[in-house]
Amino acid sequence: MPPDDAAPGMARATLSPKTFPAGDRPMTVTRRTLLASGLTTGLTAPALGAPGLAAGRPLELDSGDAPAPFDAMPEPPFIADPSLLRLDDGWLFHKGDIVVPPILGHEESYQNAKAGIAQGAAAVGYDDSDWRAVELPHDWAMEEVVDPNANVAQGYRRRGIGWYRRTLKLPVEWRGRYLEVQLGAAATNAKVWFNGVLVAHSFSGYTAILIDITPYARFGEELNTLAVRVDAETMEGWWYEGAGLYRHNWLAVRDGVSIVTDGLHADPRKGDGGWTVPVALTVSNIQKTAATVRAEAVLIDPAGRTIGRAETDISVDPLKTAEASMTIPVADPQRWSVDHPTLYRVETRLLRDGKAIDARATRIGFREIRFEAATGFYLNGVATKIKGVCVHQDHAGVGIAMPDAMWEWRIRRLKAMGCNALRCSHHAPAPELLDACDRLGMLVMGENRNFNPSPDYLRQLQWLVRRDRNRPSVFLWSVFNEEPMQGTEQGYEMVRRMAEAVKELDSSRPVTAAMNDGMFSPLNVSDAVDVMGFNYQHRRYDKFHAAHPTKPMTSSEDTSAFMTRGVWKTDMARHEVSSYDTDAAEWGLTHHESWRMIDTRPFVVGTFVWTGFDYHGEPTPFEWPTTSSVFGIMDLCGFAKMAFHLRRAQWVDDAPALAIAPHWTWPGREGEAIRVIALTNAETVELRLNGRSLGTKTVDRLAMPEWQVPYRPGLLEAIGYRAGRAVSRTFVETAGAPVALRLVADRGGMLGTGSDVQPFTVMAVDAQGRIVPDAAAQVALRVTKGAVIGVGNGDPNDHDSEVLPARRLFHGLAQALVRAEAGAGTLTLEASAPGLKPARASVRVIAAQPLPALPATRPVAMLTDWKRSDFTATRPDPLRRYAGNDMNSLVYARPGRLEGPGEGVWSTYRTSIKPRRRVAEQGGAVVFAEVVGRAEAWVDGVKRAGKTDFAGAPLVVPFPAGAGERQVVLVVEAEPGKASGLGRTVSVRER
């Protein structure tokens, strides 16, 4: 079967002349062909799969049974770290900052300087009952309306500041274990508090925040509070960066002696004696004594067989780390490549007294990479031209909070085009994207965001390299993009330090930098990197190569051509750009010109086209009302533009490629000449209109053959030939008025984990089932057993909400991202529009186990911070007042810790509380889970409850309604000679 969804928007080429004998009519779309096709509006016909669909022949499908272009379920996630529990649900969110009132008093000033007594929304006892429940990943900027007064680079969406809070309940048996909160990323800067202690600052929206919470954790009945302030006013980029906690979040629960996060390094090496897998494990010890453990590593081949093993002992001192090193020889491994991405596994574990206490695994690939200054890049010894794209990380409807399955979907789209590499511009990517690249065969240039070798920022680069250095897909590290200091001595010194930091962690991959100037100054950044990267400096390729004949070089960014999907005539007033590849930024080139500059120069490693997909923000060449870019080979939804089929015709060598541009529905233009392009890798191509030949032309893959065809309705057909034999065929056909909607799912099945997402294409068809390329109906969507989490249509000028379940068709297409509910069943999406027959599509949802997660815990107001008076022989006065600057007459006390015995038997416990809204309005109760000793409880100077037994027992104290600061005092009489006090937790219960 042909590769999946290869040619959205234009017809798929057939693989054999036997399928379409010369002179036969084009094939009819069937379920089988849909499994092998892609989509886009206006470019071809049988291409009716995932994104991009064109006017074509009738579909042999009933309206209630949408096909599945990709006949596969998503692969279950690879469990690299079994200690991780997902931490994505149970969060509360507040949009906007929460300003702490000025601190003025003695006691407030004193408390403000102490650990664990955070103020405002970071405080343990803060009332978040009015906050909105959200599930992460979350990009709140996508919920904002576009605003002409907001930042143009951010797509005219206001970002601001937001707060997140989450309650964690940790089992008692976890006491003594290593606990680490991992926040995947926070756009843009963040501060994190755990139980009122400020535990982390993040200075980049693209790096994970790893927090050792072991010293602060509370267990059992005591709850823990995680609070995050995300500052999205800060900008790191000049594109849409989103806002919020937009990647997955985890809690690591490990033994006291364990492998650190990203502490497994296993990157294969080939030497004179053959292949080896060096395995290094970084092990930490949080226990109070030194520990000696055994480290084991096994290598598992693609068939699941263990083919190598190594082990060693390692000793780790308390609160230190140590590294265990092992080597596994491999006789003749299968190679990883873009065409055959063969993956092995390295599984490691630590054993203590013969018992496994921790484990970690990674996927690896055996591949050789080599850069030659004269002849380019070699993968496993084979000359390989890099046919890459630059990508940002947002998508229609969800912004930067990308569902996992959509990363794989995007890589499949790029692979179908013949793309073999991507550059993560200009950020550390989501690990799920790299998982897909490893598994599907896509080379990756990893790039950090901030050009700065100072300690805080160098750690961002080091984290990136440690996280991704095992991945076979990663073949280059880029340390910056277009920095003003690139041509200076200072820039050189900065890169020299950053490159050295990379090499200390990973010596197997070269370092590059994306330069757009300064490469000919006496000392510049190119002198500090292994591979020279050019951004838009196509006129300098030859000059630089002549001056530096031993320096490998690549285009790290080029093209910047403009296209609006479905548009075939540039109209500057309407902010629309032709898809004929006639327009580019003044610094760039058209797709035709750009590839010619690179393909004709063997010393240029390859291209990274700007960009693979349109992205929110940085609208160019327009500004308001345009809110997204039009640089993409595909639009915001991943629907193909003409550039998709052009690049496929230029990049794919091992399978036929053929598409026609544009569509063939031009009412009112009868007799007018239409420019027609055949995009193909055939040797010659014939064009026919309604069965009459319009001539055969020789194919120049750098230019592509064209015709001027007087428009007549009907069927326009192209046939590609090699050695005189027809090897490919496609067509476009005139469509009538739209009469119905149609829905096409990407997959016929989904996993019932509660988080699986897939795109559905929404389209309008005529009475014969042909896609109508100018349809613009407003479509409403409804789902059962699932939810629409985002919508889009690829129109850069559309300001409608991308989160509500409705969308206008743009040139015949729209997209809905749908998430399936947990459990088995059938998900059904229904689409309706005025005047059109509604559509319905169903996919099976297969029961699947979600990843282990820490259960969500309902926030409860816990009274954790008390002050206790000294023990006295006489009953203290519960109404006594203490001076605001008296920090010594009372001592700190915590529930769960009994006090005494002291010199006397009497003491008081005092705290202040600002009750949560519902308690303030309706009243409630202060619940002492256990008070040891006789006791009486006072609220705001009034005695409310008491207990007369010395033995530990609960005490429930009525708490009247009322707002503001409230005082709670507990007078305790201890049994002589015994400890007393707050034996367990204290909480405030709603009525």
Side-chain angles (χ1 to χ4, degrees), residues 43 116 137 139 177 284 334 415 425 472 680 702 725 759 787 806 843 858 937:
L43 291 181
D139 176 4
R177 308 200 76 183
S284 71
Q334 301 175 54
K415 291 277 290 185
S425 311
T680 183
L702 295 177
R725 299 182 62 193
V843 297
R858 181 174 177 269

Side-chain angles (χ1 to χ4, degrees), residues 21-313:
D24 280 5
R25 294 275 289 174
M27 72 186 293
T28 301
V29 177
T30 66
R31 296 175 192 271
R32 180 72 172 176
T33 59
L34 278 163
L35 293 175
S37 63
L39 303 192
T40 214
T41 195
L43 291 181
T44 59
L48 297 182
L53 196 95
R57 293 178 62 81
L59 299 179
E60 295 185 339
L61 301 165
D62 60 63
S63 61
D65 185 16
F70 183 62
D71 193 22
M73 297 293 291
E75 180 176 299
F78 175 67
I79 306 300
D81 184 353
S83 75
L84 295 181
L85 298 173
R86 187 163 279 191
L87 208 61
D88 284 347
D89 60 353
W91 290 84
L92 298 174
F93 170 69
H94 174 82
K95 174 66 167 60
D97 202 5
I98 296 173
V99 180
V100 178
I103 296 171
L104 302 174
H106 284 295
E107 184 172 8
E108 292 87 350
S109 300
Y110 184 82
Q111 300 286 355
N112 181 62
K114 303 302 177 183
I117 311 179
Q119 306 296 314
V124 171
Y126 183 81
D127 181 8
D128 54 17
S129 57
D130 288 334
W131 289 21
R132 175 163 64 100
V134 294
E135 184 174 344
L136 307 183
H138 177 231
D139 176 4
W140 84 67
M142 283 308 297
E143 303 166 3
E144 298 295 305
V145 298
V146 293
D147 179 350
N149 297 312
N151 185 286
V152 56
Q154 298 291 335
Y156 297 103
R157 281 181 167 85
R158 296 197 179 276
R159 301 167 72 216
I161 293 171
W163 282 85
Y164 295 85
R165 286 171 59 92
R166 213 264 195 196
T167 302
L168 293 78
K169 187 173 184 179
L170 308 177
V172 173
E173 55 267 29
W174 288 358
R175 194 185 302 274
R177 308 200 76 183
Y178 174 78
L179 304 174
E180 180 179 275
V181 167
Q182 301 178 1
L183 303 178
T188 298
N189 290 354
K191 290 183 178 180
V192 185
W193 291 261
F194 190 79
N195 288 338
V197 178
L198 181 59
V199 291
H201 295 84
S202 173
F203 300 104
S204 175
Y206 302 97
T207 58
I209 309 170
L210 308 179
I211 310 161
D212 176 6
I213 63 167
T214 312
Y216 324 104
R218 301 168 183 171
F219 302 93
E221 294 176 324
E222 291 191 273
L223 301 182
N224 299 268
T225 301
L226 181 60
V228 187
R229 180 185 185 270
V230 179
D231 177 4
E233 293 285 5
T234 304
M235 288 173 49
E236 285 184 278
W238 49 96
W239 57 89
Y240 176 83
E241 295 186 280
L245 298 177
Y246 69 92
R247 289 183 183 166
H248 290 304
N249 307 274
W250 310 88
L251 175 67
V253 183
R254 300 175 184 148
D255 191 84
V257 179
S258 60
I259 304 165
V260 305
T261 299
D262 301 331
L264 168 56
H265 185 197
D267 187 17
R269 297 291 191 274
K270 186 179 182 183
D272 295 337
W275 285 92
T276 60
V277 181
V279 179
L281 281 179
T282 305
V283 180
S284 71
N285 179 7
I286 66 161
Q287 298 178 340
K288 298 179 178 65
T289 58
T292 298
V293 295
R294 169 144 293 213
E296 292 184 347
V298 296
L299 178 64
I300 300 172
D301 73 7
R305 298 169 300 198
T306 298
I307 60 171
R309 184 182 300 273
E311 58 185 37
T312 188
D313 289 335

Side-chain angles (χ1 to χ4, degrees), residues 322-442:
E323 187 172 282
S325 298
M326 299 163 278
T327 300
I328 302 175
V330 189
D332 186 22
Q334 301 175 54
R335 305 298 193 269
W336 182 97
S337 69
V338 294
D339 297 319
H340 301 285
T342 304
L343 293 173
Y344 288 69
R345 298 196 315 275
V346 173
E347 296 184 356
T348 65
R349 61 178 185 165
L350 298 181
L351 296 96
R352 190 182 222 176
D353 300 326
K355 178 184 176 182
I357 57 173
D358 196 16
R360 208 62 47 84
T362 187
R363 284 170 165 162
I364 63 171
F366 292 85
R367 87 283 187 273
E368 297 176 83
I369 58 175
R370 188 173 88 251
F371 290 81
E372 296 288 349
T375 54
F377 173 68
Y378 292 80
L379 180 61
N380 299 323
V382 178
T384 303
K385 199 76 167 181
I386 294 300
K387 303 166 182 176
V389 297
C390 299
V391 293
H392 284 317
Q393 59 175 350
D394 67 307
H395 191 87
V398 292
I400 60 174
M402 283 280 284
D404 293 357
M406 291 302 295
W407 292 120
E408 177 171 328
W409 181 86
R410 281 188 154 211
I411 299 304
R412 284 196 278 114
R413 302 288 300 114
L414 292 170
K415 291 277 290 185
M417 183 178 69
C419 177
N420 63 13
L422 76 97
R423 173 186 178 217
C424 299
S425 311
H426 309 282
H427 64 277
E432 294 78 17
L433 169 63
L434 297 180
D435 289 343
C437 292
D438 288 341
R439 191 172 61 252
L440 300 179
M442 181 71 72

